[in-house]
């Protein structure tokens, strides 16, 4: 059986295989919400605030960036700006997924909340629209439920763990994000953007307030594209 996709006709995958892959991603990443809950508590954010962040923001990299900047003594507005710019990538994911999934108009506002790295990766890996929709939904449901549940457990259990800096849990979220991102850097341009962003972020980290290096690192993409345009 085949399904029509924006790219043409492709063989569908068994539902079980799609769900298995989606749940694997959802469970693996969802458990890192525990690290966010603990890190948020260590930054002075109470359990209710941490849970509201996970429920409404629901993008791990932005959440970790926000609480990390606050824990380092950064200005709340700067911390929020850094988290916001990290989250803007999801808007670009949405442009691609809107064509691939072609969801009914009434469903789109709810589905938009689940447009993150993991759901996008699973959906784009599918060969047809039916499988993409199933993968997106299964990943979104499992990840949203687990991320919020483990955020609550982490925030409540932070006192039992003690000093979170000793455990290094604040690095768990960024580590997961980098592990997901690294295999996607296939072209020279993508690798150049990642390398320049790393240099800018680490270079300005010791001299600028917390949260500002993230904003500067975001300039890597337009800088690389500008240099590439001049060479062309």
């Amino acid at each position: 059986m085949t399904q029509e996709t924006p790219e043409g006709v492709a063989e569908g995958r068994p539902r079980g295989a799609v769900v298995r892959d989606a749940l694997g991603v959802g469970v693996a990443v969802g458990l890192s919400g525990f690290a966010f809950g603990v890190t948020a508590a260590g930054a002075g954010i109470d359990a209710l605030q941490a849970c509201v962040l996970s429920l409404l923001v629901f993008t791990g990299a932005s959440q970790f960036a926000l609480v990390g900047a606050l824990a380092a003594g950064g200005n709340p507005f700067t911390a929020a700006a850094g988290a916001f710019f990290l989250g803007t990538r999801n808007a670009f994911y949405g442009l691609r997924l809107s064509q691939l999934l072609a969801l009914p108009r009434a469903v789109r506002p709810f589905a938009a909340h689940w447009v993150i790295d993991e759901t996008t990766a699973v959906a784009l890996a599918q060969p047809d629209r039916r499988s993409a929709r199933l993968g997106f939904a299964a990943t979104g449901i499992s990840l949203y439920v687990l991320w919020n549940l483990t955020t609550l457990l982490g925030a409540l259990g932070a006192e039992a763990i003690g000093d979170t800096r000793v455990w290094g849990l604040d690095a768990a979220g960024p580590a997961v994000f980098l592990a997901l991102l690294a295999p996607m850097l296939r072209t020279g341009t993508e690798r150049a953007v990642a390398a320049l962003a790393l240099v800018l972020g680490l270079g300005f980290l010791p001299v600028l307030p917390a949260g500002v290096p993230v904003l500067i690192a975001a300039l890597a993409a337009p800088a690389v594209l500008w240099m590439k345009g001049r060479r062309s």
Side-chain angles (χ1 to χ4, degrees):
M1 180 177 180
T2 59
Q3 296 286 336
E4 185 73 22
T5 70
E7 290 78 20
V9 177
E11 291 294 330
R13 291 185 66 199
R15 289 178 176 268
V18 177
V19 173
R20 183 181 63 248
D21 293 347
L23 291 180
V25 173
V27 172
V29 180
L31 293 177
S32 63
F34 182 85
F36 170 73
V38 173
T39 305
I45 297 175
D46 62 36
L48 177 60
Q49 292 171 329
C51 290
V52 169
L53 274 173
S54 285
L55 283 168
L56 301 181
V57 179
F58 189 52
T59 173
S62 295
Q63 292 178 229
F64 274 102
L66 176 64
V67 299
L70 293 176
N75 183 286
F77 294 102
T78 304
F84 172 79
F85 279 106
L86 274 177
T88 55
R89 71 189 185 281
N90 295 339
F92 296 99
Y93 295 160
L95 294 175
R96 180 66 183 90
L97 289 179
S98 65
Q99 299 176 358
L100 175 64
L101 302 179
L103 296 173
R105 188 178 300 273
V107 178
R108 292 176 188 175
F110 302 98
H113 193 49
W114 288 352
V115 176
I116 55 176
D117 302 291
E118 294 79 13
T119 54
T120 301
V122 172
L124 292 179
Q126 307 309 319
D128 65 283
R129 178 168 291 160
R130 178 188 63 82
S131 299
R133 286 179 172 179
L134 179 60
F136 177 86
T139 306
I141 293 172
S142 60
L143 183 50
Y144 190 74
V145 171
L146 274 176
W147 179 265
N148 284 280
L149 177 61
T150 54
T151 293
L152 175 62
L153 294 177
L156 295 177
E159 293 184 2
I161 293 177
D163 188 357
T164 58
R165 292 173 296 182
V166 175
W167 295 84
L169 291 175
D170 56 334
V176 171
F177 179 73
L178 289 175
L180 291 168
L181 179 64
M184 300 175 67
L185 302 177
R186 298 187 178 93
T187 68
T189 301
E190 292 169 348
R191 296 190 185 100
V193 170
L196 181 57
L198 179 64
V199 170
L200 291 174
L202 293 180
F204 286 101
L205 186 62
V207 297
L208 291 178
V212 177
V214 174
L215 301 178
I216 295 178
L219 298 175
V224 170
L225 293 175
W226 178 78
M227 290 187 291
K228 183 178 180 181
R230 284 183 60 87
R231 291 178 181 175
S232 301

